[in-house]
Coordinates of all heavy atoms in Angstrom, one line a residue:
I224 N -7.7 100.4 -31.8 CA -6.3 99.8 -31.5 C -5.6 99.4 -32.8 O -4.4 99.5 -32.9 CB -6.5 98.6 -30.6 CG1 -5.1 98.1 -30.1 CG2 -7.3 97.5 -31.2 CD1 -4.4 99.1 -29.3
D225 N -6.4 99.1 -33.9 CA -5.8 98.7 -35.1 C -5.0 100.0 -35.7 O -4.0 99.8 -36.3 CB -6.8 98.2 -36.1 CG -7.3 96.8 -35.8 OD1 -6.4 96.0 -35.4 OD2 -8.5 96.5 -35.9
D226 N -5.6 101.1 -35.5 CA -4.9 102.3 -36.0 C -3.6 102.6 -35.3 O -2.6 103.0 -35.9 CB -5.8 103.6 -35.8 CG -7.0 103.5 -36.7 OD1 -7.0 103.2 -37.9 OD2 -8.2 103.6 -36.2
L227 N -3.6 102.4 -33.9 CA -2.3 102.5 -33.2 C -1.3 101.5 -33.7 O -0.1 101.8 -33.8 CB -2.6 102.3 -31.7 CG -3.4 103.3 -31.0 CD1 -3.6 102.9 -29.5 CD2 -2.8 104.7 -31.1
I228 N -1.7 100.3 -33.9 CA -0.8 99.2 -34.4 C -0.3 99.6 -35.8 O 0.9 99.3 -36.1 CB -1.5 97.8 -34.3 CG1 -1.8 97.5 -32.9 CG2 -0.6 96.8 -35.0 CD1 -2.7 96.2 -32.8
N229 N -1.1 100.0 -36.7 CA -0.6 100.4 -38.0 C 0.4 101.5 -38.0 O 1.3 101.4 -38.9 CB -1.9 100.8 -38.8 CG -2.8 99.7 -39.2 OD1 -2.4 98.5 -39.1 ND2 -4.0 100.0 -39.5
R230 N 0.3 102.3 -37.1 CA 1.3 103.4 -37.0 C 2.6 103.1 -36.2 O 3.7 103.6 -36.4 CB 0.7 104.7 -36.4 CG -0.5 105.2 -37.1 CD 0.0 105.9 -38.4 NE -1.1 106.4 -39.1 CZ -1.0 107.1 -40.3 NH1 0.1 107.3 -40.8 NH2 -2.1 107.6 -40.9
D231 N 2.5 102.1 -35.3 CA 3.6 101.7 -34.5 C 3.5 100.2 -34.2 O 2.7 99.8 -33.4 CB 3.5 102.5 -33.2 CG 4.8 102.2 -32.3 OD1 5.5 101.3 -32.6 OD2 5.0 102.9 -31.3
K232 N 4.2 99.4 -34.9 CA 4.1 97.9 -34.9 C 4.5 97.4 -33.5 O 4.1 96.3 -33.2 CB 5.0 97.3 -36.0 CG 4.7 97.7 -37.4 CD 3.2 97.4 -37.7 CE 2.9 97.7 -39.2 NZ 1.4 97.5 -39.5
D233 N 5.2 98.2 -32.7 CA 5.7 97.7 -31.4 C 4.8 98.2 -30.2 O 5.2 98.0 -29.1 CB 7.2 98.2 -31.2 CG 7.9 97.4 -30.1 OD1 7.7 96.2 -30.0 OD2 8.6 98.0 -29.3
I234 N 3.7 98.9 -30.6 CA 3.0 99.5 -29.4 C 2.4 98.6 -28.5 O 2.4 98.9 -27.2 CB 1.9 100.5 -30.0 CG1 1.4 101.4 -28.9 CG2 0.7 99.7 -30.6 CD1 0.6 102.6 -29.4
L235 N 2.0 97.4 -29.0 CA 1.4 96.4 -28.0 C 2.4 96.0 -27.0 O 2.1 95.8 -25.8 CB 0.8 95.2 -28.7 CG -0.4 95.4 -29.5 CD1 -0.8 94.2 -30.3 CD2 -1.6 95.9 -28.6
N236 N 3.7 95.8 -27.4 CA 4.8 95.4 -26.5 C 5.0 96.6 -25.5 O 5.3 96.3 -24.3 CB 6.0 95.1 -27.3 CG 5.9 93.8 -28.0 OD1 5.4 92.8 -27.5 ND2 6.6 93.7 -29.2
K237 N 4.9 97.8 -26.0 CA 5.2 98.9 -25.1 C 4.0 99.0 -24.0 O 4.3 99.2 -22.9 CB 5.2 100.2 -25.9 CG 6.4 100.3 -26.8 CD 6.4 101.6 -27.6 CE 7.4 101.7 -28.6 NZ 7.3 102.9 -29.5
L238 N 2.8 98.8 -24.4 CA 1.7 98.8 -23.5 C 1.8 97.7 -22.5 O 1.5 97.9 -21.3 CB 0.4 98.7 -24.3 CG 0.1 99.9 -25.2 CD1 -1.2 99.7 -26.0 CD2 0.0 101.3 -24.5
S239 N 2.2 96.5 -23.0 CA 2.3 95.4 -22.1 C 3.4 95.5 -21.0 O 3.2 95.3 -19.9 CB 2.6 94.1 -22.9 OG 2.8 93.0 -22.1
I240 N 4.5 96.1 -21.5 CA 5.6 96.2 -20.5 C 5.3 97.3 -19.5 O 5.5 97.0 -18.2 CB 7.0 96.6 -21.2 CG1 7.4 95.5 -22.1 CG2 8.0 97.2 -20.3 CD1 8.5 95.9 -23.1
Y241 N 4.7 98.3 -19.9 CA 4.3 99.4 -18.9 C 3.3 98.9 -18.0 O 3.4 99.1 -16.8 CB 3.8 100.6 -19.7 CG 3.6 101.8 -18.8 CD1 4.6 102.8 -18.6 CD2 2.5 102.0 -18.0 CE1 4.5 103.9 -17.9 CE2 2.3 103.1 -17.2 CZ 3.3 104.1 -17.1 OH 3.1 105.2 -16.3
S242 N 2.3 98.2 -18.5 CA 1.2 97.8 -17.6 C 1.7 96.8 -16.5 O 1.3 96.9 -15.4 CB 0.1 97.1 -18.5 OG -0.4 97.9 -19.4
R243 N 2.6 95.8 -17.0 CA 3.1 94.8 -16.1 C 3.9 95.5 -15.0 O 3.9 95.1 -13.8 CB 3.9 93.9 -16.8 CG 3.0 92.9 -17.6 CD 3.7 91.8 -18.4 NE 2.8 90.9 -19.0 CZ 3.1 89.9 -19.8 NH1 4.4 89.6 -20.0 NH2 2.2 89.0 -20.4
E244 N 4.7 96.4 -15.4 CA 5.6 97.2 -14.4 C 4.7 97.9 -13.4 O 4.9 97.9 -12.1 CB 6.5 98.0 -15.0 CG 7.7 97.4 -15.8 CD 8.6 98.3 -16.5 OE1 8.3 99.6 -16.5 OE2 9.7 97.9 -17.0
Y245 N 3.6 98.5 -13.9 CA 2.7 99.3 -13.1 C 2.0 98.4 -12.1 O 2.0 98.7 -10.9 CB 1.7 100.0 -13.9 CG 0.7 100.9 -13.2 CD1 1.0 102.2 -12.9 CD2 -0.5 100.3 -12.8 CE1 0.1 103.0 -12.2 CE2 -1.4 101.1 -12.1 CZ -1.1 102.4 -11.9 OH -2.1 103.1 -11.1
F246 N 1.4 97.4 -12.5 CA 0.6 96.5 -11.6 C 1.6 95.7 -10.7 O 1.1 95.3 -9.6 CB -0.2 95.6 -12.4 CG -1.3 96.3 -13.1 CD1 -1.5 96.1 -14.5 CD2 -2.3 97.1 -12.4 CE1 -2.5 96.8 -15.1 CE2 -3.3 97.7 -13.1 CZ -3.4 97.6 -14.4
S247 N 2.8 95.4 -11.1 CA 3.7 94.6 -10.2 C 4.1 95.4 -9.0 O 4.4 94.8 -8.0 CB 4.9 94.3 -11.0 OG 4.6 93.3 -12.1
N248 N 3.9 96.7 -9.0 CA 4.2 97.5 -7.9 C 3.0 97.7 -6.9 O 3.1 98.3 -5.9 CB 4.7 98.9 -8.3 CG 6.1 98.9 -9.0 OD1 6.9 98.1 -8.6 ND2 6.2 99.7 -10.0
N249 N 1.9 97.1 -7.2 CA 0.7 97.0 -6.4 C 0.7 95.8 -5.6 O 0.7 94.7 -6.1 CB -0.5 97.2 -7.3 CG -1.8 97.4 -6.5 OD1 -1.9 96.9 -5.4 ND2 -2.7 98.2 -7.1
D250 N 0.6 95.9 -4.3 CA 0.6 94.8 -3.3 C -0.5 93.8 -3.6 O -0.4 92.6 -3.2 CB 0.6 95.3 -1.9 CG 1.8 96.0 -1.5 OD1 2.8 95.8 -2.1 OD2 1.8 96.7 -0.5
M251 N -1.6 94.2 -4.1 CA -2.8 93.4 -4.5 C -2.4 92.3 -5.4 O -3.1 91.3 -5.5 CB -4.0 94.2 -4.9 CG -4.6 95.0 -3.8 SD -6.2 95.7 -4.2 CE -5.7 96.9 -5.5
F252 N -1.3 92.5 -6.2 CA -1.0 91.5 -7.2 C 0.1 90.5 -6.7 O 0.7 89.8 -7.5 CB -0.6 92.2 -8.4 CG -1.7 92.9 -9.2 CD1 -2.0 94.1 -8.9 CD2 -2.5 92.2 -10.0 CE1 -3.0 94.9 -9.5 CE2 -3.6 92.8 -10.7 CZ -3.8 94.2 -10.4
N253 N 0.4 90.6 -5.4 CA 1.4 89.7 -4.8 C 1.0 88.3 -4.7 O 1.8 87.3 -4.8 CB 1.8 90.1 -3.4 CG 2.6 91.5 -3.4 OD1 3.2 91.8 -4.4 ND2 2.7 92.1 -2.3
D254 N -0.4 88.1 -4.6 CA -0.9 86.7 -4.6 C -0.6 86.2 -6.0 O -0.9 86.7 -7.1 CB -2.4 86.8 -4.4 CG -3.1 85.4 -4.4 OD1 -3.1 84.7 -3.4 OD2 -3.5 85.0 -5.5
K255 N -0.2 84.9 -6.0 CA 0.3 84.2 -7.2 C -0.9 84.1 -8.3 O -0.6 84.2 -9.5 CB 0.9 82.8 -6.9 CG 1.4 82.2 -8.2 CD 2.1 80.8 -7.9 CE 2.8 80.3 -9.1 NZ 1.9 80.2 -10.3
V256 N -2.1 83.7 -7.8 CA -3.2 83.5 -8.6 C -3.6 84.8 -9.4 O -3.7 84.9 -10.6 CB -4.4 83.0 -7.9 CG1 -5.7 83.0 -8.8 CG2 -4.1 81.5 -7.4
V257 N -3.6 85.9 -8.5 CA -3.9 87.2 -9.1 C -2.8 87.7 -10.1 O -3.0 88.3 -11.1 CB -4.1 88.2 -7.9 CG1 -4.5 89.6 -8.5 CG2 -5.2 87.7 -7.0
F258 N -1.6 87.5 -9.6 CA -0.4 87.8 -10.5 C -0.5 87.2 -11.8 O -0.3 87.8 -12.9 CB 0.9 87.5 -9.8 CG 2.1 87.9 -10.5 CD1 2.6 89.2 -10.4 CD2 2.8 86.9 -11.2 CE1 3.7 89.6 -11.2 CE2 3.9 87.3 -11.9 CZ 4.4 88.7 -12.0
D259 N -0.8 85.9 -11.8 CA -0.9 85.1 -13.0 C -2.0 85.6 -13.9 O -1.9 85.7 -15.2 CB -1.1 83.6 -12.8 CG 0.1 82.9 -12.2 OD1 1.2 83.5 -12.3 OD2 0.0 81.9 -11.7

């Protein structure tokens, strides 16, 4: 992961945004505890 970050300083933000959008569309994450 350090190599990815060294080449693209914004990559963690990109991974985070994509992951959250992906999981937010899954009904299993509707529960507040699980969503948090």
Side-chain angles (χ1 to χ4, degrees):
I224 190 62
D225 287 322
D226 295 308
L227 292 179
I228 295 170
N229 288 339
R230 297 292 182 176
D231 185 349
K232 301 301 181 183
D233 196 42
I234 195 167
L235 289 177
N236 287 326
K237 295 176 183 177
L238 296 176
S239 176
I240 291 170
Y241 189 96
S242 300
R243 288 179 175 180
E244 289 180 352
Y245 178 89
F246 291 124
S247 291
N248 291 322
N249 189 324
D250 290 341
M251 288 190 294
F252 292 91
N253 288 341
D254 179 88
K255 186 180 185 308
V256 173
V257 181
F258 181 81
D259 288 344

